[in-house]
Amino acid sequence: MNVDQATAEQHRTDYEPGRGARTGSLLMALAGVGFVGYGVVFLVRTFFGSGFELGVETLNGVTPAQLDAVNPAIMHYINHLHVATAAFIITTGIAIAALAWYGVRSGLVWAWATAVVAAVLGLALALPMHYMDLFSHNWVTHLGPIYLASIVFVVGAILAYRGIQSEPPQVEPDEEMA
């Protein structure tokens, strides 16, 4: 009994991304790398910084050393949360960069949608608390890098989507005859 099995090679298309998809996926990937960088800075400041996180030197005048003197468990807990937050920022950035570079650049709409959902959902959940004035922070150093990476990401996502939608995938000669 002869059973023909489909292979990845048989279903491969020779998709060549146009300028929009290439530029857009590059910007999306660069934004992902920016998210990774922000997460690394967040992580490094947890262990080696003088403040709490980027742009937050004190909690309404209370330094980490003062808080540690009152109750060391509080600082250990804050550090624990900072490490976990940094880990998720870094891993989300890696996922977005990989999706953009390998998936979006290949014209895969699902990769574009996944990268967009991951970035938008992460920012939509994280940013609103910054506008409640619960503690003082330097807006430029605390949120500036993320806003910059987000703007680059949005521009890239728009360019990539337009590029993917306007460029029909190339089909192998075998499939054209069928």
Side-chain angles (χ1 to χ4, degrees):
M1 180 170 166
N2 184 5
V3 178
D4 290 330
Q5 291 184 340
T7 65
E9 186 64 31
Q10 288 172 327
H11 293 284
R12 183 180 61 84
T13 60
D14 292 327
Y15 176 81
E16 272 300 318
R19 183 174 178 212
R22 280 193 320 268
T23 303
S25 63
L26 174 64
L27 290 173
M28 290 172 73
L30 286 174
V33 171
F35 296 150
V36 170
Y38 184 80
V40 168
V41 169
F42 202 105
L43 187 63
V44 168
R45 284 189 57 89
T46 298
F47 296 109
F48 304 109
S50 59
F52 289 97
E53 59 183 278
L54 193 61
V56 182
E57 298 305 317
T58 68
L59 293 178
N60 296 338
V62 179
T63 67
Q66 291 168 329
L67 194 54
D68 192 45
V70 172
N71 187 344
I74 291 173
M75 279 310 302
H76 291 301
Y77 183 69
I78 290 171
N79 287 337
H80 160 80
L81 292 176
H82 284 172
V83 169
T85 302
F88 280 102
I89 293 169
I90 292 167
T91 56
T92 301
I94 290 169
I96 288 170
L99 283 164
W101 191 250
Y102 295 105
V104 175
R105 195 169 57 118
S106 296
L108 302 173
V109 176
W110 69 263
W112 178 89
T114 304
V116 168
V117 167
V120 169
L121 186 59
L123 292 168
L125 292 172
L127 290 178
M129 290 216 49
H130 291 86
Y131 297 97
M132 295 181 182
D133 288 329
L134 301 173
F135 62 95
S136 60
H137 55 281
N138 182 315
W139 289 90
V140 174
T141 58
H142 185 66
L143 295 175
I146 282 296
Y147 279 136
L148 178 60
S150 296
I151 290 167
V152 170
F153 181 82
V154 167
V155 169
I158 291 168
L159 288 173
Y161 186 75
R162 286 181 178 167
I164 291 170
Q165 293 302 311
S166 68
E167 300 157 6
Q170 305 283 325
V171 181
E172 286 189 23
D174 295 5
E175 293 177 14
E176 289 176 355
M177 293 181 194

